């Protein structure tokens, strides 16, 4: 089996996360994700007693889910097979070289009918910054280099769960707009989030100041402020179990939908379909 491509410089990622924590990490979007996950768990009529959290910011998520087994999002997750009834993959799947591999490991760690909840950044994250820095780099440096991580689109998110063996997959998006006084403030916040550029193929040279000056002029503004979009994706999937609902076999229905709705069934040419006399009471 071929190995997945190396997209991210893992040692650099760990260093930048550690620096963010040491300097007081800006985890307000992690707070949003943790709140949303708790709200979703309230809506599920079930108690979870064996919980694991996969994350790059262990201290924060340990506080949010006391008693949970909290582990780093390493390539190999130290999770025993069928040891948990809930696994939360918290705000780090978008920085994985092998997201399918991460999800497969989570599925194996779940008991039958165990639940996976994923919070991650989606494809609409920082669209404003992507456009501005790309245009600025072409103008000042004559070409493009990898600077912002590729992120999964919500249309593909459910397919990730299906390919990983989860049942009843659901994906939904929650875009958030964050206002900043300047593009410089946004860039500082990204470093404080541990979300600065760690792409394996990035240009490791210090970029010229002219690049960021040009980017600041191209970045769209709202009044005297700039707005950055952060799309939070939430994925839900269940470890397969015989007790779960399954779709009916096509053609197995025992009654017509038109009867249930008390209406007349229409044919393909938009004319009523003839029925037996016994049906027309």
């Amino acid at each position: 089996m071929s190995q997945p491509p190396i997209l991210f410089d893992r040692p650099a990622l760990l260093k930048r996360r550690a620096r963010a924590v040491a300097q007081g990490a800006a985890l307000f979007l992690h707070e949003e994700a943790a709140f949303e996950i708790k709200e979703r768990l309230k809506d599920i009529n079930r108690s979870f007693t064996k919980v694991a959290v996969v994350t790059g910011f262990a201290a924060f998520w340990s506080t949010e889910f006391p008693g949970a087994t909290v582990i780093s999002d390493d390539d190999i997750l130290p999770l025993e097979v069928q040891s948990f009834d809930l696994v939360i993959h918290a705000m780090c799947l978008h920085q994985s070289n092998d997201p399918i591999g991460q999800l497969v490991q989570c599925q194996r760690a779940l008991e039958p009918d165990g639940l996976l909840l994923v919070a991650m950044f989606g494809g609409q994250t920082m669209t404003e910054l992507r456009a501005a820095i790309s245009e600025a780099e072409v103008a000042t440096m004559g070409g493009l280099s990898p600077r912002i991580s590729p992120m999964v689109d919500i249309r593909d998110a459910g397919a990730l769960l299906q390919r990983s063996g989860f049942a009843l997959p659901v994906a939904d998006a929650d875009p958030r707009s964050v206002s900043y006084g300047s593009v410089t403030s946004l860039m500082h916040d990204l470093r404080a989030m541990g979300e600065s550029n760690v792409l394996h193929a990035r240009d490791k040279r210090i970029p010229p100041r002219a690049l960021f000056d040009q980017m600041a002029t191209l970045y769209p503004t709202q009044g005297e402020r700039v707005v950055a979009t952060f799309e939070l994706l939430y994925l839900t999937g269940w470890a397969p179990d015989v007790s779960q609902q399954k779709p009916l076999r096509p053609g197995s229905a025992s009654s017509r939908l038109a009867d249930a709705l008390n209406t007349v069934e229409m044919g393909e040419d938009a004319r009523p379909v003839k029925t037996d006399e016994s049906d027309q009471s």
Side-chain angles (χ1 to χ4, degrees), residues 36 51-52 62 91 105 137-138 141 150 159 172 257 264 271:
E36 181 64 25
V51 181
S62 294
M91 300 295 286
Q105 292 178 77
E137 191 165 20
V138 170
M141 304 180 71
D172 58 276
L257 179 61
V264 177
R271 291 179 297 182

Side-chain angles (χ1 to χ4, degrees), residues 125-238:
T125 297
M126 294 186 290
T127 53
E128 306 89 349
L129 180 61
R130 292 173 192 271
I133 200 168
S134 295
E135 188 175 348
E137 191 165 20
V138 170
T140 60
M141 304 180 71
L144 290 173
S145 63
R147 292 192 178 275
I148 299 180
S149 304
M151 297 179 187
V152 67
D153 189 270
I154 188 171
R155 293 172 296 183
D156 302 319
L160 290 179
L161 293 173
Q162 289 181 317
R163 290 178 59 189
S164 306
F166 284 95
L168 310 174
V170 176
D172 58 276
D174 182 15
R176 298 298 179 96
S177 295
V178 182
S179 176
Y180 292 93
S182 66
V183 176
T184 301
S185 297
L186 166 60
M187 301 299 287
H188 287 165
D189 226 10
L190 290 177
R191 286 193 288 271
M193 295 178 192
E195 295 289 344
S196 54
N197 186 8
V198 291
L199 288 168
H200 187 267
R202 71 190 184 281
D203 187 345
K204 297 180 176 62
R205 297 174 297 178
I206 298 176
R209 181 177 180 83
L211 171 63
F212 296 105
D213 291 341
Q214 179 74 0
M215 180 187 67
T217 65
L218 295 170
Y219 199 103
T221 60
Q222 294 186 5
E224 296 183 353
R225 300 184 68 82
V226 301
V227 174
T229 298
F230 294 92
E231 183 184 42
L232 295 177
L233 295 187
Y234 296 98
L235 314 183
T236 305
W238 296 84

Side-chain angles (χ1 to χ4, degrees), residues 19-27 192:
R19 181 181 64 187
V21 170
Q23 296 177 354
L27 298 181

